């Protein structure tokens, strides 16, 4: 399941974009950049996801720690497939995530240790209710969330927006609605930023990943984690 970044770092975007993403993340807890990913990489990842889907590599996944599988569909209706570096597009994405991991650690001292990511396919009618990406109450693990979209285009009436709130106790309107357009990048603090995927009116493909710290065992660094 873990896609360990066993790849050389190679930036996904220029240093200006990287700097503005990191500045926004530090200031507000989230950052959004349109057309952040190269369209060729987006297309290659879309083809990879389609091939995995044809090969029945997607499944329902499980949301939350210890949650019954039967609760999953009420929270998220989507299927996922973990990246494992199994083709050039995945390797390129993981090399980009590795470059971003190093920059995040250098600029924000986050001590991020590894990256895991999955493709997610939301069918028409698919959604993911409001949630935080980090499991509450457990040891720290997911710290920074990374989301990008692999749809070939996305219309104003296609639904499927990502809604983001600034704080866990914000009950009102979201701070921002983001259309899942190809190449848009969203970065969020996993433990702080609630978000949801509104029902999509057509198939919606995303790629979500998480930079994690080593949770350790009993406060001791666990090199086997
Ligand atoms: C997730 C998630 C958002 C999106 O996978 O945890 O919140 O827009 N995805 O696909
Ligand atoms: Mn999420």
């Amino acid at each position: 399941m873990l896609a360990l970044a066993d790849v050389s770092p190679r930036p996904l975007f220029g240093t200006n974009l990287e700097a503005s993403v990191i500045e926004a993340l530090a200031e507000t807890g989230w950052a959004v950049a349109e057309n952040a990913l190269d369209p060729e990489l987006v297309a290659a990842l879309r083809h990879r996801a389609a091939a995995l889907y044809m090969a029945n590599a997607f499944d329902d996944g499980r949301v939350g720690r210890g949650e019954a599988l039967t609760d999953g569909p009420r929270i998220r209706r989507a299927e996922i497939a973990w990246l494992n570096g199994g083709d050039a597009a995945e390797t390129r994405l993981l090399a980009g995530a590795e470059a971003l991991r190093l920059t995040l650690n250098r600029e924000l001292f986050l001590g991020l240790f590894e990256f895991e990511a999955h493709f997610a396919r939301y069918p028409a009618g698919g959604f993911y209710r409001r949630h935080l990406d980090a499991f509450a109450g457990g040891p720290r693990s997911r710290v920074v969330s990374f989301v990008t979209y692999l749809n070939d285009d996305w219309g104003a009436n296609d639904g499927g927006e990502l809604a983001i709130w600034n704080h866990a106790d914000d009950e009102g309107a979201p701070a921002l609605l983001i259309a899942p357009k190809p190449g848009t990048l969203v970065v969020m603090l996993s433990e702080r930023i609630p978000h949801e995927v509104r029902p999509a009116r057509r198939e919606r493909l995303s790629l979500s990943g998480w930079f994690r710290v080593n949770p350790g065992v009993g406060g001791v660094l666990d090199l086997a984690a």
Side-chain angles (χ1 to χ4, degrees), residues 38 50 55 71 94-95 152 172 190 192 209:
D38 174 358
D71 286 347
L94 294 172
D152 51 6
S190 313
R192 276 202 9 217

Side-chain angles (χ1 to χ4, degrees), residues 111-189:
L112 304 171
F113 185 77
E114 61 193 359
F115 182 73
E116 60 180 336
H118 63 53
F119 297 105
R121 178 187 172 275
Y122 295 74
F127 56 83
Y128 194 167
R129 300 231 188 280
R130 178 167 160 155
H131 64 281
L132 290 169
D133 282 346
F135 304 119
R140 288 191 82 208
S141 175
R142 294 175 169 180
V143 174
V144 176
S145 304
F146 171 111
V147 186
T148 192
Y149 302 105
L150 308 178
N151 306 299
D152 51 6
D153 61 30
W154 200 260
N157 297 319
D158 290 337
E161 298 91 353
L162 173 66
I164 286 185
W165 288 264
N166 282 316
H167 302 285
D169 49 5
D170 281 357
E171 296 296 339
L176 190 67
L177 285 179
I178 300 149
K181 291 192 200 142
T184 292
L185 170 74
V186 183
V187 178
M188 300 175 273
L189 294 180

Side-chain angles (χ1 to χ4, degrees), residues 40-172:
E40 271 176 38
L41 175 60
V42 172
L45 288 167
R46 177 164 62 242
H47 291 137
R48 172 67 172 165
L52 290 171
Y53 189 70
M54 295 304 287
N56 288 320
F58 278 67
D59 64 40
D60 284 352
R62 196 192 284 226
V63 182
R65 185 171 285 177
E67 193 171 295
L69 261 176
T70 48
D71 286 347
R74 273 184 270 148
I75 298 166
R76 177 176 69 187
R77 186 134 89 82
E79 290 183 304
I80 64 165
W82 291 94
L83 275 71
N84 61 13
D87 85 332
E90 287 193 21
T91 305
R92 174 74 191 96
L93 190 279
L94 294 172
E98 178 61 2
L100 184 58
R101 182 182 76 85
L102 296 173
T103 310
L104 286 163
N105 282 350
R106 192 181 66 235
E107 299 296 324
L108 302 179
F109 310 104
L110 292 177
L112 304 171
F113 185 77
E114 61 193 359
F115 182 73
E116 60 180 336
H118 63 53
F119 297 105
R121 178 187 172 275
Y122 295 74
F127 56 83
Y128 194 167
R129 300 231 188 280
R130 178 167 160 155
H131 64 281
L132 290 169
D133 282 346
F135 304 119
R140 288 191 82 208
S141 175
R142 294 175 169 180
V143 174
V144 176
S145 304
F146 171 111
V147 186
T148 192
Y149 302 105
L150 308 178
N151 306 299
D152 51 6
D153 61 30
W154 200 260
N157 297 319
D158 290 337
E161 298 91 353
L162 173 66
I164 286 185
W165 288 264
N166 282 316
H167 302 285
D169 49 5
D170 281 357
E171 296 296 339

